[in-house]
Amino acid sequence: VRIPLPVSNILWEHCIRLANRTLVEGYANVKKCSNEGRALMQLDFQQFLMKLEKLTDIRPIPDKEFVETYIKAYYLTENDMERWIKEHREYSTKQLTNLVNVCLGSHINKKARQKLLAAIDDMDRPKR
C-alpha cells in the first residue's frame, strides 16, 4: 500500500518524537552516570540522528533539542541546575528528580540536594 508523502511525513514525525521522548525517559532511569557515560549518551544520540537523517527527509528533527538539553543538563553545577530546573518545565518530575540525584548526587551535600528536590516539588504543585 502506497502512503502519500504528507501522511508518511506525519507518521515519521510522530515516531521520531516518541523515540526522542523515550530516549529521555531511558536516560532518566539510569542509577549512576560517570562522565564517560554522559559522553556515550551524546554519542549514541548523534548516531541515532545520523541514521534518522538517512531514513527520512523530516527537518528539523522533532524534539531533538528536548534530548540534547536533557543530556547537557548532566554537566551543570549545583547553582546552574536550580535555574535550569525552573526554566525547563517540559520535563517530568521524575526526569528532573533523577537528574538531581544522578548527576549531582555525589557532588553535593544532602541539604543542597534537598533544596533542588524541593524546587522540583514546588514546580510540580500547580499541576496537581
Side-chain angles (χ1 to χ4, degrees):
V1 177
R2 294 192 58 95
I3 300 174
L5 186 60
V7 174
S8 175
N9 287 342
I10 289 171
L11 290 172
W12 268 113
E13 187 175 328
H14 285 290
C15 289
I16 293 167
R17 225 177 266 290
L18 181 61
N20 284 336
R21 298 279 170 167
T22 303
L23 278 170
V24 170
E25 192 61 29
Y27 294 149
N29 286 324
V30 299
K31 302 292 182 215
K32 291 169 83 175
C33 189
S34 64
N35 286 334
E36 294 82 12
R38 294 174 192 138
L40 286 173
M41 285 179 187
Q42 287 180 312
L43 186 62
D44 287 345
F45 187 59
Q46 291 306 315
Q47 286 294 317
F48 174 71
L49 291 175
M50 284 175 38
K51 300 296 181 189
L52 200 55
E53 288 172 354
K54 291 179 183 176
L55 287 172
T56 180
D57 293 328
I58 303 286
R59 303 291 183 278
I61 300 295
D63 284 346
K64 176 182 172 185
E65 295 81 21
F66 182 76
V67 180
E68 289 175 338
T69 303
Y70 191 80
I71 294 171
K72 289 175 185 173
Y74 276 92
Y75 294 99
L76 296 174
T77 63
E78 174 189 338
N79 295 333
D80 293 334
M81 180 63 77
E82 186 172 4
R83 186 175 352 98
W84 188 90
I85 287 169
K86 291 176 181 175
E87 292 173 358
H88 292 278
R89 296 177 177 264
E90 66 267 30
Y91 298 100
S92 71
T93 301
K94 176 189 165 212
Q95 291 165 342
L96 295 172
T97 300
N98 191 63
L99 202 54
V100 169
N101 287 328
V102 171
C103 77
L104 296 175
S106 60
H107 304 314
I108 62 172
N109 62 36
K110 188 174 180 178
K111 185 177 177 182
R113 182 181 1 207
Q114 292 302 326
K115 179 182 170 190
L116 289 170
L117 293 174
I120 293 169
D121 193 43
D122 289 344
M123 190 176 83
D124 190 42
R125 274 205 184 100
K127 293 180 189 174
R128 293 182 195 164

